[in-house]
């Protein structure tokens, strides 16, 4: 009899359900449904919560059908796990069970950045502002990226949300909370909860007390459970934010181990053990996981890159350079260099370590010789250089340089990108051949949950996953690495000065020349 782990992978653009064999870590079956996204304003990403649940139910039905065709009894499913993008925010009515607005996604919303400043300046005294801005409570900077500001916007701008809040009917949560509440009964006794890895991304959660902070949270929130609380009636025994799940799936259980996930953006997490490390270099401190009610929480330093795989999509959809994303590797490989061209894709501002929402993208170093092959190479280099900036910050915060980087995500199938990353970081890059690392992580934790016990997370009993290793092929002390890294740093800072050009449109040639001269190497 096969012992199966049944899990939901909830991404911003799709719902995926995957079934793993708890003995071999083999992916048995899966089904995925794309979700429609709406973009009501620049920088806003929204989805219909009802469509999310419809997609969940469709995934359940289709996956069960596939299991039956494989002659696998669905009663062999021993645990259900949920993993999700962490900052997506929802509010719904607990009496009717209906969402009160669309789910607001992770994208940095430039158009509400001014509101962010007005919110803190209008509604908080100066002393309170200073306390809230202090990262030592939440591990996070005040940013539109996190859930609290989105929730405040909903309360102030959506009448239905405000009215439900006043009548104590409003329920707030990240997308995992919405899914679990619906699957465990909804308005008829559904469980309103989240786990610590998601809670720590709301900007309402104290990562030291492991509870909602009374100063930050003036309303009733769902109870917080450890990452492995078991709901025996429903088999939902595990919930992890997607990046935490990837950290577990990469088996980064030891302090100092790190992984980078290359998707639409990049998310680099480094395990810091049972004590939170507050960054002095622009990184986030987050709760990685808490694997059991009586187990200590494990923390991580995190650096987020807004644009990674999205830059390839931009070259395809906006610029028409390629017909498919896979062509980028061929174009870049044909020249093997950017020929002095630098591409900083700050389409949504800059995330870590700068946290500058007003930054704008820039392409520099163009000559008459530059062609689309060089631009393709520069786009891949951009992903690698952004990762290096985060890794450099992590090394400074921890005081111990990373010796290898584990990687996962869709972009890691690009072998040229992986080799470039190893060369630019000057350390080995290790990619598992099993591509579903995030799903594997939440499956492992679900199977190891108290009361389930079909999977062990003990060091000697972890599943073996084969991997591919990319070694640096250039001298880390060589002039090429140092000069290109220095040039990239200058270009990144230049994106933050582009606002000068926007504000002085009449004299933009003079301002642009001044900015360029300032960054000449």
């Amino acid at each position: 009899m096969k012992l199966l782990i049944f899990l939901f992978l909830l991404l911003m653009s799709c719902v995926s359900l995957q079934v793993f064999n708890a003995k071999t870590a083999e992916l048995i079956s899966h089904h995925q449904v794309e979700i429609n996204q709406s973009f009501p304003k620049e920088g806003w990403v929204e989805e219909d919560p009802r469509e999310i649940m419809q997609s969940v139910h469709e995934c359940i039905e289709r996956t069960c059908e596939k299991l039956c065709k494989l002659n696998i009894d669905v009663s062999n499913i021993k645990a259900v796990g949920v993993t999700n993008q962490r900052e997506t925010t929802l509010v719904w009515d607990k009496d009717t069970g209906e969402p009160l607005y669309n789910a607001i996604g992770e994208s940095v919303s430039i158009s509400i950045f001014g509101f962010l400043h007005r919110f803190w300046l209008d509604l908080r005294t100066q002393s309170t502002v200073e306390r809230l801005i202090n990262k030592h409570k939440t591990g996070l900077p005040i940013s539109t990226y996190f859930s609290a500001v989105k929730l405040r916007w909903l309360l102030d701008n959506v009448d239905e949300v405000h009215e439900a809040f006043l009548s104590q009917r409003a329920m707030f949560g990240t997308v995992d909370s919405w899914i679990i509440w619906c699957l465990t009964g909804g308005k008829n006794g559904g469980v309103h909860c989240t786990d610590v890895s998601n809670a720590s991304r709301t900007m309402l959660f104290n990562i030291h007390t492991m509870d909602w902070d009374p100063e930050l949270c003036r309303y009733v929130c769902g109870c917080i459970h450890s990452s492995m609380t078991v709901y025996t009636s429903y088999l939902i025994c595990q919930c992890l934010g997607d990046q935490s799940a990837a950290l577990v799936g990469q088996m980064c259980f030891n302090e100092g181990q790190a992984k980078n996930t290359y998707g639409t953006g990049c998310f680099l997490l480094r395990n810091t053990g049972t004590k939170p490390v507050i960054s002095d270099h622009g990184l986030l401190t987050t709760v990685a996981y808490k694997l059991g009610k009586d187990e200590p929480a494990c923390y991580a330093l995190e650096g987020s890159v807004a644009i990674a795989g999205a830059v390839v999509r931009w070259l395809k959809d906006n610029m028409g350079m390629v017909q498919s994303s896979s062509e980028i590797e061929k174009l870049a490989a044909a020249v093997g260099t950017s020929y002095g061209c630098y591409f900083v894709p700050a389409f949504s501002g800059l995330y870590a370590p700068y946290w500058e929402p007003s930054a704008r993208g820039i392409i520099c170093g163009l000559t008459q010789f530059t062609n689309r092959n060089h631009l393709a190479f520069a786009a891949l280099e951009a992903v690698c250089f952004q990762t290096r900036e985060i890794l450099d910050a992590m090394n400074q915060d921890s005081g111990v340089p990373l010796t290898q980087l584990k990687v996962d995500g869709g972009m890691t199938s690009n072998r040229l990108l992986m080799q470039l990353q190893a060369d630019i970081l000057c350390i080995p890059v290790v990619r598992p051949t099993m591509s579903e690392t995030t799903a594997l992580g939440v499956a492992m934790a679900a199977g190891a949950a108290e009361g389930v016990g079909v999977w062990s997370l003990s060091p000697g009993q972890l599943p073996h996953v084969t991997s591919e290793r990319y070694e640096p092929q250039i001298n880390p002390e060589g002039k090429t690495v140092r000069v290109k890294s220095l040039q990239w740093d200058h270009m990144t800072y230049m994106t933050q000065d582009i606002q000068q050009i926007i504000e002085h449109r009449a004299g933009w040639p003079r301002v642009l020349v001044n900015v360029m001269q300032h960054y000449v190497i």
Side-chain angles (χ1 to χ4, degrees):
M1 179 180 68
K2 295 181 179 179
L3 301 178
L4 307 179
I5 309 297
F6 198 67
L7 63 96
F8 299 101
L9 184 63
L10 308 167
L11 303 177
M12 195 56 197
S13 60
C14 70
V15 172
S16 177
L17 194 152
Q18 304 182 22
V19 182
F20 283 87
N21 186 323
K23 298 295 184 182
T24 65
E26 176 191 1
L27 180 63
I28 301 295
S29 183
H30 73 281
H31 189 79
Q32 180 171 302
V33 177
E34 299 297 320
I35 299 175
N36 294 317
Q37 295 180 321
S38 60
F39 306 91
K41 292 185 180 181
E42 178 190 359
W44 290 19
V45 182
E46 296 182 1
E47 290 178 345
D48 183 351
R50 299 178 189 84
E51 184 182 353
I52 293 175
M53 283 311 304
Q54 290 171 359
S55 299
V56 167
H57 289 299
E58 180 180 341
C59 282
I60 293 173
E61 293 174 5
R62 298 289 86 77
T63 302
C64 288
E65 290 174 1
K66 292 177 180 180
L67 290 176
C68 290
K69 291 180 180 179
L70 294 172
N71 295 320
I72 297 176
D73 191 338
V74 294
S75 65
N76 288 336
I77 296 170
K78 301 302 178 184
V80 176
V82 176
T83 184
N84 57 286
Q85 286 191 329
R86 297 163 294 175
E87 288 81 12
T88 301
T89 303
L90 297 90
V91 178
W92 65 94
D93 190 312
K94 70 176 182 180
D95 292 339
T96 66
E98 292 296 314
L100 298 171
Y101 192 76
N102 282 339
I104 300 179
E106 284 189 342
S107 177
V108 165
S109 180
I110 300 302
S111 53
I112 68 170
F113 184 69
F115 157 78
L116 171 62
H117 289 288
R118 292 195 302 274
F119 164 60
W120 294 115
L121 293 177
D122 290 348
L123 302 183
R124 299 288 187 268
T125 64
Q126 183 60 38
S127 60
T128 302
V129 170
E130 291 173 355
R131 288 199 303 272
L132 292 176
I133 292 176
N134 188 341
K135 288 172 56 179
H136 288 270
K137 273 190 175 184
T138 66
L140 309 174
I142 293 180
S143 168
T144 59
Y145 182 58
F146 306 110
S147 302
V149 177
K150 298 171 186 175
L151 176 59
R152 185 71 244 179
W153 183 89
L154 287 167
L155 288 169
D156 288 347
N157 292 273
V158 181
D159 292 340
E160 293 84 354
V161 173
H162 182 69
E163 292 169 4
F165 171 75
L166 292 178
S167 59
Q168 299 185 355
R169 292 180 289 109
M171 279 188 162
F172 153 73
T174 44
V175 70
D176 58 300
S177 301
W178 167 245
I179 297 293
I180 293 173
W181 186 79
C182 290
L183 290 179
T184 56
K187 63 182 180 180
N188 298 314
V191 179
H192 185 206
C193 68
T194 187
D195 86 303
V196 293
S197 68
N198 281 290
S200 67
R201 308 294 290 191
T202 62
M203 218 165 67
L204 299 169
F205 184 71
N206 190 313
I207 62 174
H208 304 281
T209 64
M210 300 300 289
D211 205 347
W212 302 113
D213 189 280
E215 282 192 289
L216 300 174
C217 186
R218 298 181 182 277
Y219 48 85
V220 177
C221 294
C223 54
I224 299 176
H225 297 287
S226 75
S227 295
M228 298 176 70
T229 296
V230 178
Y231 304 109
T232 53
S233 298
Y234 303 97
L235 293 178
I236 300 177
C237 59
Q238 201 283 333
C239 175
L240 277 175
D242 54 353
Q243 302 310 318
S244 294
L247 194 71
V248 172
Q250 290 277 20
M251 288 165 261
C252 294
F253 294 118
N254 297 324
E255 183 176 347
Q257 292 182 315
K259 69 87 196 171
N260 194 26
T261 299
Y262 298 74
T264 301
C266 276
F267 298 89
L268 204 165
L269 271 69
R270 179 170 182 158
N271 188 325
T272 62
T274 56
K275 294 183 179 180
V277 174
I278 304 300
S279 175
D280 293 323
H281 299 90
L283 302 179
L284 309 178
T285 304
T286 193
V287 181
Y289 50 77
K290 189 174 186 296
L291 300 179
K293 181 179 180 181
D294 299 321
E295 295 296 322
C298 184
Y299 296 87
L301 278 173
E302 176 172 345
S304 306
V305 171
I307 303 296
V311 72
V312 177
R313 188 180 308 129
W314 182 81
L315 291 174
K316 177 174 72 74
D317 297 340
N318 292 46
M319 306 305 291
M321 278 181 47
V322 292
Q323 297 299 314
S324 66
S325 299
S326 60
E327 291 181 46
I328 292 293
E329 182 174 7
K330 296 178 182 177
L331 289 177
V335 289
T337 177
S338 64
Y339 199 73
C341 176
Y342 288 88
F343 187 177
V344 184
F347 301 153
S348 302
L350 293 170
Y351 284 7
Y354 304 100
W355 295 102
E356 180 49 71
S358 63
R360 291 294 183 271
I362 191 169
I363 299 176
C364 289
L366 299 177
T367 70
Q368 191 174 12
F369 180 72
T370 306
N371 59 37
R372 65 174 188 158
N373 300 66
H374 300 117
L375 287 176
F377 197 94
L380 297 183
E381 279 190 324
V383 176
C384 299
F385 279 124
Q386 289 180 100
T387 297
R388 175 163 179 157
E389 286 183 311
I390 292 174
L391 195 61
D392 287 345
M394 283 188 175
N395 288 339
Q396 292 179 66
D397 281 329
S398 66
V400 181
L402 193 70
T403 57
Q404 74 170 19
L405 179 65
K406 297 184 178 183
V407 299
D408 57 78
M411 288 194 81
T412 60
S413 62
N414 187 320
R415 293 176 178 271
L416 175 59
L417 175 67
M418 293 296 95
Q419 187 58 57
L420 277 174
Q421 189 68 89
D423 292 342
I424 288 172
L425 295 182
C426 302
I427 59 174
V429 168
V430 181
R431 182 182 72 89
T433 54
M434 194 280 194
S435 60
E436 301 294 342
T437 306
T438 301
L440 176 62
V442 72
M444 289 167 56
E450 181 181 352
V452 180
V454 298
W455 215 320
S456 174
L457 300 183
S458 300
Q461 300 183 48
L462 293 173
H464 174 70
V465 178
T466 59
S467 60
E468 189 173 8
R469 187 179 179 92
Y470 295 84
E471 298 284 350
Q473 295 182 352
I474 56 179
N475 181 4
E477 301 301 324
K479 179 180 178 181
T480 300
V481 174
R482 288 186 285 108
V483 170
K484 289 183 75 69
S485 296
L486 183 60
Q487 289 172 331
W488 168 265
D489 291 342
H490 280 59
M491 292 304 104
T492 303
Y493 281 108
M494 184 175 169
T495 66
Q496 300 172 61
D497 283 346
I498 291 298
Q499 193 66 26
Q500 295 180 40
I501 301 171
I502 297 172
E503 293 171 356
H504 299 82
R505 292 180 182 177
W508 71 265
R510 175 182 55 80
V511 177
L512 181 57
V513 168
N514 289 341
V515 172
M516 289 292 289
Q517 288 177 341
H518 180 69
Y519 292 107
V520 168
I521 299 174

